[in-house]
Amino acid sequence: MTAAEAADLAAAFKALADPVRLRIASIVACCPGGEVRMGEIAAEFSVSGPTISHHLRKLREAGVLSSERRANEVYYQVRSDRLDALIGQLSMMKAMVGQESCAVPA
């Protein structure tokens, strides 16, 4: 894994490491139609709208969510391609456990 790949993955994992953000991503992922309005997300939490907006921005910046403005509403979708990439990187790391070749000498 390159340094750039590690930095990219760390940003996504950092965004998902927050319990509120992880819940937000889970809520968006399980919504019928694959998308949900910001107001529907905010209704699930006992924090302010600006706080939810902050968490949504962090998830968008990490590439976990995408958004689309329609009239006065913003709709959020999970980027399954990004989740696939994160899972793929973890799977590759798991597959390398115990292999003879390593970038760092033993």
Side-chain angles (χ1 to χ4, degrees):
M1 178 182 306
T2 68
E5 289 170 332
D8 180 56
L9 288 170
F13 288 129
K14 183 177 179 180
L16 288 169
D18 181 280
V20 172
R21 291 183 203 144
L22 190 56
R23 257 190 83 207
I24 289 171
S26 175
I27 289 167
V28 176
C30 73
C31 282
E35 63 183 16
V36 63
R37 294 178 295 141
M38 192 275 199
E40 294 171 315
I41 296 168
E44 296 294 319
F45 297 90
S46 60
V47 297
S48 68
T51 299
I52 295 298
S53 291
H54 166 77
H55 289 303
L56 287 166
R57 180 175 53 84
K58 291 294 187 181
L59 289 166
R60 278 193 330 271
E61 288 173 352
V64 174
L65 296 182
S66 62
S67 63
E68 180 182 344
R69 179 172 289 283
R70 297 183 207 148
N72 294 334
E73 296 284 349
V74 178
Y75 290 81
Y76 291 88
Q77 306 85 26
V78 168
R79 290 197 44 213
S80 59
D81 61 325
R82 179 67 162 156
L83 294 182
D84 288 342
L86 296 173
I87 292 165
Q89 285 291 337
L90 290 176
S91 294
M92 283 194 315
M93 287 174 58
K94 181 181 176 192
M96 293 186 316
V97 171
Q99 286 189 358
E100 293 295 319
S101 62
C102 181
V104 179

